[in-house]
Amino acid sequence: MKYINSEQDFSNCFSNRLYEKIVKESTTRLNRKINKKEYKQIIKELYYELSNYEYSVGNIEEKLFVYKSNNVARIIPVLTVKDELLYYFVCKMLEDEIAVNRTENTYGGWILGNKIRLEEDSEIDYVYKSYNSLLWNKNWKDFQNILYNSVKDLSNDSIILKLDIANFYDNINLNLLEKKLLVSVPTEKLEYINILMYFLRNWNLKTDKYHFKSVGIPQNEFGDQSRLLANFYLQGYDKKVKQICDKSNAQYIRFADDQVIILKDKLKINDIMYAISKELNTIGLNLNANKVKEYKKDTIQTYYGIPIFQLLDEKKYNEAAKKFFEYKNNEKVDFNYISSLKKFLNLGLDKFNISNRSKIKAIITEYQFVRESNE
């Protein structure tokens, strides 16, 4: 394998923290009774299988069902340890080429990195589990800051559109993804593209059987690889949409598949929405019509809980809790309360007075929160 000269070089691609993640922190950890010696043996076997062109994708170990919204379940496949390592490895070898060329104000793709650190990622509603949750946290805060600074001085007539791509991961066209990789990655890394595409076309044989898989990448338990590929898939789209918005004096911001368009001229809405739909269609994707919403500058900040996070950053914990309950208890307010609530829990309930602590405890013992928390 190009760039990998020995078994030791290959082994160095996988940190000890990776073992803790995919074995000890997996939801299926009770079934993964793999010690470090056995883990290193799996890495060794994977190296020799790849070197001798003997690697084949295994069957997923099981499927996790987590709450999405409106009683819809998101299905998360749990890959075998060997397949998880393979997917990590090939994306790691390609990340220098595909984690670049980011359009301004777009977030959700970053290098995997060998140094894996724990951070407060569970307050972020978009993440299930992440290898590098430090970067998840940074991307999320950057997104919030850009959004806040972009809307704070807007007039009340301005419109903020919140858009969502329908079934994003499931509809990524694998042939188009491969073409994009071939254009962006040097020829000496062609072998890694071939391995990656073999994996993506066969990871779900247990369900797909022997049908040719042409669309969809896994939203697996530790999904930084898929997030990196998904963000790469949207790079060309990002550039075109930003150009479209620039011409209309509008602003484009994206976090993963969550898109925000800030318009100062209401008359431009139809033109921009048509252009966005057209550009998505060229890469096999569509907007989720049910999730297209219009906001004003105050209501978009409320939805994301930006005032709450700002108070927490200033260590005004009880003021943040007051604002939280003000939003949550008002049925007319569109507020994604889960992210703020998880932030409270990560900070620790001892930061709040007895009254707020009791009210927070009452929420986290409710069935709805337990069902939606995904942790």
Side-chain angles (χ1 to χ4, degrees):
M1 290 177 286
K2 184 75 172 174
Y3 301 106
I4 300 295
N5 298 315
S6 67
E7 180 187 329
Q8 186 59 50
D9 286 347
F10 183 74
S11 181
N12 290 341
C13 292
F14 309 101
S15 69
N16 288 330
R17 184 70 195 113
L18 193 62
Y19 167 78
E20 297 295 329
K21 271 285 181 183
I22 66 176
V23 176
K24 298 297 184 181
E25 294 179 21
S26 170
T27 307
T28 61
R29 61 187 175 275
L30 295 178
N31 298 329
R32 284 187 171 172
K33 297 176 180 178
I34 300 171
N35 59 39
K36 284 195 174 181
K37 183 178 179 181
E38 292 167 328
Y39 173 74
K40 289 180 179 179
Q41 181 61 31
I42 293 172
I43 293 175
K44 182 177 181 179
E45 289 173 4
L46 179 59
Y47 172 74
Y48 282 102
E49 286 177 9
L50 290 174
S51 299
N52 295 309
Y53 302 96
E54 294 176 356
Y55 167 77
S56 61
V57 181
N59 284 326
I60 57 176
E61 292 189 345
E62 58 183 278
K63 294 178 180 178
L64 305 176
F65 293 82
V66 299
Y67 180 85
K68 193 174 179 182
S69 61
N70 297 325
N71 298 312
V72 174
R74 172 178 290 155
I75 301 172
I76 297 177
V78 179
L79 304 174
T80 66
V81 172
K82 184 182 289 185
D83 289 343
E84 187 74 43
L85 293 173
L86 178 281
Y87 195 21
Y88 179 90
F89 169 70
V90 289
C91 288
K92 176 73 183 159
M93 299 310 294
L94 297 171
E95 67 181 1
D96 288 344
E97 288 77 26
I98 64 178
V100 294
N101 298 321
R102 183 180 71 88
T103 296
E104 182 184 5
N105 297 339
T106 60
Y107 305 92
W110 52 81
I111 61 174
L112 297 172
N114 260 333
K115 187 175 182 181
I116 297 164
R117 299 168 57 181
L118 278 176
E119 188 69 15
E120 296 173 353
D121 61 350
S122 60
E123 74 241 22
I124 303 172
D125 199 36
Y126 302 87
V127 67
Y128 184 64
K129 286 190 169 104
S130 173
Y131 290 132
N132 202 333
S133 35
L134 174 71
L135 287 174
W136 256 113
N137 207 29
K138 182 182 184 305
N139 271 242
W140 175 246
K141 286 185 176 178
D142 287 347
F143 169 75
Q144 279 194 321
N145 289 335
I146 287 291
L147 187 59
Y148 170 72
N149 290 321
S150 298
V151 304
K152 66 178 181 180
D153 297 323
L154 288 177
S155 70
N156 290 327
D157 293 332
S158 299
I159 296 292
I160 298 100
L161 293 176
K162 183 178 177 296
L163 316 174
D164 184 80
I165 299 173
N167 301 316
F168 179 31
Y169 282 63
D170 292 335
N171 287 321
I172 288 177
N173 185 298
L174 296 181
N175 291 331
L176 183 54
L177 174 62
E178 184 175 22
K179 288 177 182 177
K180 289 176 177 290
L181 288 168
L182 290 170
V183 169
S184 303
V185 176
T187 54
E188 56 265 31
K189 289 190 176 183
L190 177 61
E191 186 173 6
Y192 298 119
I193 297 177
N194 291 338
I195 297 170
L196 173 63
M197 297 314 301
Y198 163 75
F199 170 80
L200 292 176
R201 290 188 171 111
N202 293 281
W203 66 269
N204 200 22
L205 279 176
K206 202 167 188 176
T207 300
D208 295 338
K209 305 192 186 311
Y210 291 103
H211 299 296
F212 181 76
K213 187 176 184 66
S214 60
V215 295
I217 63 177
Q219 285 184 278
N220 52 310
E221 188 179 19
F222 302 98
D224 282 2
Q225 310 99 312
S226 290
R227 285 188 277 268
L228 178 63
L229 291 173
N231 200 70
F232 168 74
Y233 190 77
L234 289 178
Q235 283 181 355
Y237 165 80
D238 287 335
K239 286 180 172 56
K240 290 179 180 177
V241 173
K242 185 179 184 305
Q243 290 170 0
I244 292 165
C245 288
D246 287 347
K247 289 178 182 178
S248 299
N249 194 27
Q251 188 173 1
Y252 171 60
I253 307 171
R254 179 177 65 78
F255 186 94
D257 58 344
D258 216 4
Q259 302 173 76
V260 175
I261 309 291
I262 301 172
L263 304 102
K264 297 178 181 178
D265 184 354
K266 295 180 183 178
L267 299 177
K268 298 289 186 180
I269 289 179
N270 288 339
D271 290 342
I272 288 180
M273 288 296 291
Y274 172 77
I276 286 175
S277 299
K278 182 181 176 182
E279 291 301 329
L280 276 177
N281 187 256
T282 62
I283 55 174
L285 301 173
N286 295 285
L287 288 174
N288 187 334
N290 293 327
K291 290 190 176 180
V292 175
K293 292 187 178 181
E294 290 187 17
Y295 291 87
K296 298 291 187 179
K297 68 175 183 178
D298 294 331
T299 55
I300 192 70
Q301 292 184 72
T302 299
Y303 176 80
Y304 284 110
I306 291 175
I308 295 170
F309 280 87
Q310 289 175 328
L311 288 168
L312 292 175
D313 286 342
E314 296 170 9
K315 301 187 186 308
K316 298 177 179 178
Y317 303 114
N318 288 301
E319 289 182 40
K322 181 181 178 181
K323 182 70 69 175
F324 172 86
F325 289 110
E326 176 188 320
Y327 291 164
K328 187 176 185 303
N329 295 333
N330 189 338
E331 294 181 357
K332 296 180 180 179
V333 171
D334 189 6
F335 173 46
N336 181 9
Y337 80 95
I338 293 291
S339 296
S340 299
L341 186 56
K342 289 179 181 178
K343 182 67 174 179
F344 290 171
L345 297 178
N346 279 327
L347 289 170
L349 295 186
D350 59 325
K351 295 288 195 299
F352 303 93
N353 62 33
I354 293 175
S355 175
N356 285 325
R357 203 179 305 168
S358 298
K359 288 191 284 187
I360 293 170
K361 285 180 179 179
I363 296 175
I364 64 176
T365 55
E366 291 176 354
Y367 172 72
Q368 183 180 0
F369 175 75
V370 175
R371 180 184 64 173
E372 295 179 8
S373 67
N374 291 341
E375 276 82 29

